[in-house]
Amino acid sequence: MNPDDSSWAPSRPSLRGRVARVTLFEDRAEVTRVVTLSALSEWVSVEGVSPLIDDASVRARALRGPRRVAGVRILRQVRKGPRESGGPLERELELARRALATAEAALRRAEAGLARHGALLAQWVESLSQVPRGLAAPDRRRAFRRAYDLTDDALRRTSDALSERLAAVEAARERLEQAAARVRDAQAANPGVEARLELQLEGPPDETDVELRYFVPCALWRPEHGARLVAHRDGLWVEWTTWATAWQQTGEAWDDVPLSFSTARPARAASAPMLRDDVLRVRRHADAERAVLDGREDEITFAGLERAPQRPLDDMPGVDDGGEPLVWNAPRPVTLPSDGRPRRVELVAQRARAQVERVLMPERASVAHVRATTALPGGSPLLAGPVRAARESSLVGLTSVPFVAAGEPFDIGFGPDEGLRVRRERFTDRDTVPVIGTQIVRVTVRLYLSSLDSTPRRVIVNERVPISDRSDVEISVREADGWSVDPHKGLATRVVELVGHATASLRLDFEVRAPARIALPW
């Protein structure tokens, strides 16, 4: 819109209305604004809206009154001045100007005082020169000396004050330049576009409430959690808090507004996947005569525990809701400034019993970790997001949780247990069967556990056993006394009871048999 367009002239009644509700999504926000119209004019202007409004999303309807909305349009204008005349940057600039004026006034007073004391000293010298030498009485000489000392002392103090005033003026000028530079940067970064909605009304001239709904970008939210493991007389509990971390930089003022947080995706439409040809090719067996058996890491991702139904999770950059749109309402009105800074709004606070275990994975770490198994009693699911984990009043670290259905048990770690250490050693013995050349690799893993204090501990030790997807590679566990081996996951598990200041030694042996044409990683 041209700034000189006559349609922008404030000849029509201008209202701001109030923001009745804001619903935040993962990439936008829906603003509901209610305006009370009592003017007799056919067209009414609504100010204070964001220039980033999605024009196609604007909806207007009359809530109360005899009039109806016949049309709505959006007008935008390039502003020549700053966005807000009373904004924080402008106020800072004005304060810097006042500080500079005060410092300059103090400097002028110091300069006047220095000139006055200098004139007094010159007058003292002139008066002294008019007295004949040797004729002044002793009392008169002492009076001259005292006047000189007082004038000289005042001159020195005024000179020192002048130096301080000069430094204060320089500092005030520097602050003024910095404030002016910030205002210029803000005006340069902000193109100065402002917008307004214009409503066309029809019907008898009576008071009417109109509801406006529209989508704006530059506003979003993400879930964040806090988990605290605490001990009560009846056992261990996990105190769980869920926040909504929200940002907005739409240019609108959302002060004491009811906020809603939704996982719906209004911009995503369902579409069928593209079909592609799946081409099968045949190759000769001689091209892969020698195979290399290499290790790889397979991550199994599912919600909840193993006893719960496993559901693979997609890598989603936004809010993961498990496929069902959910909505949370803030318990009280929230002020969300348009500065792009995150604000946390508490949504849910609950607690649940926890079953705590110490888990040891010697191949990854030399310390045991505290793992709590819990299930939240709430009727809503747990959204995927970061978690701040704490034990009692101590923060132990940051972790994350996947999407967990309502009431489904899940695991969460609460940091290492510093009172337990493990040392791991692995020995490999290689042999080859004569004539046929079959490779035999025997691997021995030794673990040495040590308790560093007097607290008895029950530790779950996990050690990996290789898995092969080739029929000609055989892997068998030779020595596994006390170990429970899962051949599908490749994990050997053992529970160890340690008393205070005790040690334990564990051993696990497995054997790998493979043809000579297979290159083994050991």
Side-chain angles (χ1 to χ4, degrees):
M1 179 65 62
N2 190 338
D4 298 330
D5 193 344
S6 60
S7 62
W8 188 265
S11 58
R12 293 166 180 162
S14 178
L15 301 173
R16 183 170 290 268
R18 62 180 179 88
V19 179
R21 177 166 293 277
V22 175
T23 302
L24 291 166
F25 301 93
E26 67 174 14
D27 62 347
R28 66 193 64 203
E30 183 185 35
V31 181
T32 302
R33 191 181 292 267
V34 177
V35 184
T36 300
L37 307 176
S38 57
L40 303 179
S41 176
E42 180 184 3
W43 284 89
V44 177
S45 175
V46 180
E47 306 286 348
V49 299
S50 171
L52 307 175
I53 290 181
D54 181 9
D55 296 30
S57 67
V58 179
R59 299 290 184 270
R61 65 187 183 96
L63 298 177
R64 179 183 62 86
R67 312 182 77 180
R68 70 179 187 90
V69 180
V72 58
R73 67 179 180 181
I74 303 173
L75 299 179
R76 294 178 176 87
Q77 179 193 31
V78 177
R79 185 186 59 255
K80 297 181 180 180
R83 172 178 291 183
E84 299 177 359
S85 59
L89 293 180
E90 286 74 13
R91 289 195 297 269
E92 181 182 358
L93 181 61
E94 181 62 25
L95 291 177
R97 288 172 178 166
R98 294 179 182 177
L100 178 60
T102 303
E104 289 177 344
L107 177 62
R108 289 192 296 270
R109 289 195 296 271
E111 290 175 345
L114 183 64
R116 183 172 62 256
H117 291 100
L120 289 175
L121 186 60
Q123 186 178 0
W124 180 89
V125 173
E126 183 180 357
S127 300
L128 184 62
S129 63
Q130 296 178 1
V131 178
R133 180 175 301 178
L135 296 182
D139 295 341
R140 189 67 179 272
R141 289 197 298 269
R142 284 195 295 271
F144 271 106
R145 171 62 64 181
R146 178 174 175 78
Y148 175 81
D149 293 340
L150 292 175
T151 306
D152 184 65
D153 184 60
L155 188 63
R156 284 197 303 270
R157 290 199 306 270
T158 307
S159 179
D160 295 340
L162 181 63
S163 301
E164 294 177 0
R165 300 297 182 270
L166 285 172
V169 168
E170 292 298 327
R173 287 176 179 172
E174 184 177 357
R175 288 196 297 269
L176 179 60
E177 292 177 359
Q178 294 175 355
R182 282 193 288 270
V183 171
R184 289 193 300 269
D185 293 342
Q187 292 178 352
N190 176 24
V193 178
E194 57 186 15
R196 70 179 183 182
L197 288 171
E198 287 199 343
L199 304 176
Q200 185 181 16
L201 304 176
E202 291 182 352
D206 198 355
E207 186 176 84
T208 303
D209 290 341
V210 176
E211 179 189 77
L212 296 170
R213 288 183 178 231
Y214 52 86
F215 285 104
V216 289
C218 300
L220 68 156
W221 80 283
R222 291 293 184 271
E224 184 180 353
H225 310 285
R228 185 182 304 275
L229 183 63
V230 296
H232 293 282
R233 290 177 296 179
D234 54 350
L236 295 174
W237 294 75
V238 173
E239 296 179 350
W240 195 273
T241 306
T242 299
W243 296 281
T245 304
W247 303 261
Q248 76 104 349
Q249 201 167 8
T250 62
E252 292 193 2
W254 296 346
D255 298 329
D256 292 332
V257 176
L259 290 184
S260 298
F261 306 93
S262 174
T263 63
R265 298 171 179 86
R268 180 172 296 183
S271 60
M274 298 295 295
L275 299 180
R276 296 182 176 87
D277 295 335
D278 190 3
V279 181
L280 301 179
R281 294 181 174 86
V282 180
R283 66 174 182 176
R284 296 178 59 186
H285 181 70
D287 296 338
E289 194 63 31
R290 180 171 177 82
V292 177
L293 184 64
D294 195 6
R296 67 175 184 267
E297 301 286 343
D298 291 336
E299 181 180 356
I300 303 174
T301 305
F302 54 90
L305 301 178
E306 296 177 5
R307 60 178 176 268
Q310 298 185 7
R311 297 189 308 275
L313 296 177
D314 298 330
D315 294 333
M316 304 179 65
V319 182
D320 181 11
D321 56 6
E324 180 182 0
L326 304 169
V327 178
W328 281 267
N329 296 322
R332 60 188 63 85
V334 179
T335 297
L336 190 60
S338 178
D339 55 5
R341 297 181 180 179
R343 261 70 174 181
R344 290 199 309 177
V345 180
E346 183 176 330
L347 299 181
V348 180
Q350 52 191 332
R351 69 172 192 163
R353 290 185 178 273
Q355 180 182 356
V356 178
E357 299 172 327
R358 292 174 175 85
V359 181
L360 188 60
M361 298 181 182
E363 189 176 359
R364 293 296 184 92
S366 61
V367 295
H369 287 76
V370 179
R371 182 181 67 187
T373 303
T374 184
L376 299 180
S380 59
L382 184 64
L383 298 182
V387 181
R388 299 175 183 268
R391 291 207 302 260
E392 297 295 343
S393 59
S394 301
L395 180 68
V396 296
L398 300 177
T399 181
S400 61
V401 293
F403 174 83
V404 181
E408 185 179 8
F410 64 97
D411 291 337
I412 181 173
F414 284 95
D417 183 356
E418 300 294 342
L420 185 65
R421 290 291 188 273
V422 63
R423 181 167 58 90
R424 182 178 185 271
E425 295 180 352
R426 191 181 73 174
F427 305 95
T428 303
D429 182 22
R430 179 182 295 272
D431 195 4
T432 304
V433 177
V435 181
I436 61 176
T438 301
Q439 305 175 77
I440 302 176
V441 178
R442 300 179 182 87
V443 179
T444 300
V445 177
R446 293 183 181 274
L447 305 176
Y448 303 95
L449 281 68
S450 300
S451 177
L452 305 182
D453 54 28
S454 60
T455 304
R457 289 176 173 83
R458 180 179 182 271
V459 186
I460 300 177
V461 183
N462 292 323
E463 184 63 38
R464 292 202 300 179
V465 177
I467 303 175
S468 175
D469 54 0
R470 298 178 62 95
S471 60
D472 52 356
V473 177
E474 299 179 3
I475 300 175
S476 59
V477 179
R478 299 167 55 224
E479 294 289 340
D481 293 340
W483 293 88
S484 175
V485 181
D486 188 344
H488 300 288
K489 290 187 176 181
L491 283 179
T493 305
R494 183 170 178 175
V495 179
V496 180
E497 300 283 351
L498 280 179
V499 297
H501 299 290
T503 60
S505 177
L506 309 180
R507 176 175 175 174
L508 178 65
D509 296 299
F510 59 89
E511 182 181 273
V512 181
R513 289 177 175 266
R517 61 185 179 83
I518 300 295
L520 298 177
W522 296 280

